[in-house]
Amino acid sequence: MKNSLPKASIPQLVTFTLLAMGCHIQISLNITRLRARYSQALIDQQVALLTSDVQQQLIDWEHTFSRFDETSALMRLNNNTDQWTTVSAELFAVLQSAIYFVAKTQGLVTPTLLNSICAAGYKQSFETLPKPPLVAKQASTIGLATDSSQCLQRPRLTSSSNEYRRNSSKHSSNTDDNSSHQYIERIQLRLLANGEHQVYLPTGMALDLNGYVKGWCAMQLAEQISKSHDYPMPCLVDMGGDIAIGVVDDQDINKPIVWGIAVAKAQLNTTAQVDNQQDEDVAILAISSGAVATSGQDYRRWWHGDQWQHHLIDPDKNAPVVSDVLTATVVATDTLTAEVYAKYCVLLGVKQAMAWLKQHHIAALLIATDNQVIASAAILPKLVQPNLVQPNLIAS
């Protein structure tokens, strides 16, 4: 997914890009209000300062959340199980959100899968993972389902965490004992009277917060730029496909700033194919607030164990999920929620995902492994070019 925005050559917009936390980051600033009040020299100075501040913030967050840095706060927590560990407020907040969404997603989206993703070969930064120079075309489809009958089957539940726990207890008798380390209720969190945040992680459990962190960081940056900065600016923050919209406090609700966000055609990331791929859009969304996130099997793929692997783990099998959803794009009020729900749709498969989206009135676009584009009814008002989505593939 990419944002369909002009570059810095358009006077009212300034865009800068960064590479951090394992993804490409693009931040677009709407400087129209500033141009009416301040000189271009002052604006340029503030943009330069903001760029530097964002870079430092990303460095700090990476040192908190990276699972590839043994000195990070996350890895210190993972390496100190069976005891209470003091953590930062940021790590505490992201973990708290991750735990909240476990019941919301029937246990499918969980932060307790570090051991499983490492077993699939994802032990180092993505750009350094092995990708053979030439792979037969059919090899690139390993792990992709061609229809929903091949996807995991799990009954849809209410959002009650008690119901999820009862179901997971029954379900666990039919799964490998290795999955017992994933039970989220074994994690404990507490806030001490002195303001310290502490986490108790049981023996055998290891956390991977990467998906949650991208969404959380995107939203934090968008709110800081649009609300807390010395010169607040409307903005769009794109962290590797997790997009947050920053709205200034005094924005005229009758004249919202609308951002165009293009949902790109899904492309399998194999070395033999990527070089020849061209950007194609399957839809363009008009978003004035909130967030958009895309998750999928198409990009974060690598070669391990003589086959292609990807990063979306089925917690019941402790292995990359087999799904007929290639990518899912979800619109939500915040980026962390959008990211979790997009991942959930991929894990569910087309049939169950569309039923869940309809039940909860969630705006989403799914691209199936046969390249069909399927839209939930809730996303229709946000489509700028609905003709890009085939009418017969729009959910009622």
Side-chain angles (χ1 to χ4, degrees):
M1 180 170 57
K2 61 183 184 294
N3 68 72
S4 185
L5 289 169
K7 300 298 182 182
S9 58
I10 303 298
Q12 287 75 26
L13 290 174
V14 172
T15 297
F16 61 92
T17 59
L18 302 166
L19 181 62
M21 302 181 75
C23 65
H24 295 276
I25 300 166
Q26 178 174 299
I27 298 178
S28 298
L29 310 171
N30 187 312
I31 61 169
T32 304
R33 298 184 346 150
L34 296 188
R35 283 178 60 85
R37 303 175 186 178
Y38 306 106
S39 68
Q40 187 61 49
L42 177 62
I43 294 172
D44 292 343
Q45 180 187 46
Q46 290 304 313
V47 171
L49 289 172
L50 176 62
T51 304
S52 178
D53 289 345
V54 169
Q55 286 178 314
Q56 185 57 54
Q57 182 69 82
L58 291 168
I59 291 171
D60 293 343
W61 282 337
E62 190 153 23
H63 193 58
T64 296
F65 295 110
S66 175
R67 67 180 180 88
F68 304 118
D69 177 4
E70 286 296 321
T71 68
S72 73
L74 175 64
M75 292 310 295
R76 289 200 302 271
L77 175 61
N78 282 334
N79 293 328
N80 287 278
T81 57
D82 199 28
Q83 60 184 291
W84 286 99
T85 301
T86 299
V87 300
S88 66
E90 292 84 358
L91 178 53
F92 190 91
V94 174
L95 179 55
Q96 197 169 40
S97 294
I99 292 171
Y100 167 79
F101 279 109
V102 173
K104 291 285 188 181
T105 59
Q106 305 176 61
L108 291 181
V109 182
T110 174
T112 60
L113 297 174
L114 179 58
N115 293 329
S116 298
I117 200 165
C118 286
Y122 198 172
K123 300 178 181 179
Q124 60 207 59
S125 296
F126 175 70
E127 61 274 11
T128 67
L129 292 175
K131 301 176 184 66
L134 187 61
V135 180
K137 184 176 181 180
Q138 62 268 24
S140 68
T141 65
I142 290 176
L144 303 180
T146 56
D147 59 67
S148 291
S149 65
Q150 299 172 268
C151 301
L152 61 87
Q153 298 298 315
R154 181 174 291 206
R156 285 184 288 119
L157 302 176
T158 68
S159 60
S160 164
S161 58
N162 288 333
E163 183 172 350
Y164 158 68
R165 288 173 182 171
R166 287 196 300 271
N167 181 272
S168 64
S169 296
K170 296 175 183 177
H171 185 71
S172 65
S173 62
N174 298 319
T175 59
D176 193 304
D177 287 343
N178 290 334
S179 65
S180 63
H181 69 275
Q182 297 168 7
Y183 296 155
I184 202 72
E185 61 268 21
R186 297 176 62 198
I187 301 176
Q188 299 179 57
L189 296 86
R190 69 185 184 188
L191 179 60
L192 303 184
N194 63 2
E196 283 190 359
H197 298 78
Q198 292 192 335
V199 176
Y200 175 87
L201 203 61
T203 301
M205 184 176 287
L207 302 174
D208 176 13
L209 297 175
N210 185 58
Y212 309 92
V213 167
K214 279 203 310 173
W216 182 86
C217 290
M219 210 73 214
Q220 292 291 311
L221 287 176
E223 294 195 352
Q224 288 174 16
I225 294 168
S226 63
K227 299 182 186 302
S228 306
H229 191 260
D230 290 341
Y231 295 83
M233 290 170 277
C235 65
L236 181 149
V237 178
D238 180 352
M239 292 195 61
D242 288 3
I243 294 177
I245 306 298
V247 181
V248 294
D249 287 333
D250 58 352
Q251 177 66 48
D252 185 347
I253 60 173
N254 295 315
K255 296 180 180 179
I257 294 174
V258 179
W259 299 84
I261 298 174
V263 181
K265 180 180 179 180
Q267 303 278 13
L268 287 179
N269 181 14
T270 63
T271 305
Q273 294 176 318
V274 167
D275 292 341
N276 296 321
Q277 291 172 357
Q278 297 181 350
D279 288 343
E280 296 181 46
D281 298 333
V282 299
I284 297 176
L285 307 176
I287 307 294
S288 59
S289 64
V292 184
T294 294
S295 185
Q297 309 176 65
D298 57 331
Y299 177 71
R300 240 165 242 281
R301 297 170 68 82
W302 61 93
W303 191 256
H304 179 74
D306 294 326
Q307 65 179 355
W308 286 101
Q309 308 280 352
H310 64 81
H311 70 298
L312 301 180
I313 301 295
D314 175 357
D316 294 337
K317 296 180 180 179
N318 292 321
V321 71
V322 175
S323 173
D324 59 346
V325 176
L326 189 54
T327 69
T329 298
V330 171
V331 181
T333 56
D334 68 89
T335 327
L336 193 154
T337 298
E339 162 68 24
V340 169
Y341 286 167
K343 182 181 294 185
Y344 185 43
C345 286
V346 178
L347 294 170
L348 283 176
V350 170
K351 185 177 180 180
Q352 289 195 69
M354 292 308 298
W356 178 78
L357 291 167
K358 180 180 179 180
Q359 179 185 1
H360 296 281
H361 309 290
I362 293 173
L365 278 175
L366 308 184
I367 301 179
T369 53
D370 61 3
N371 291 319
Q372 289 187 321
V373 180
I374 310 165
S376 71
I379 206 169
L380 297 185
K382 304 179 188 300
L383 288 176
V384 175
Q385 297 184 11
N387 58 300
L388 296 178
V389 180
Q390 299 176 44
N392 63 318
L393 295 179
I394 296 174
S396 58

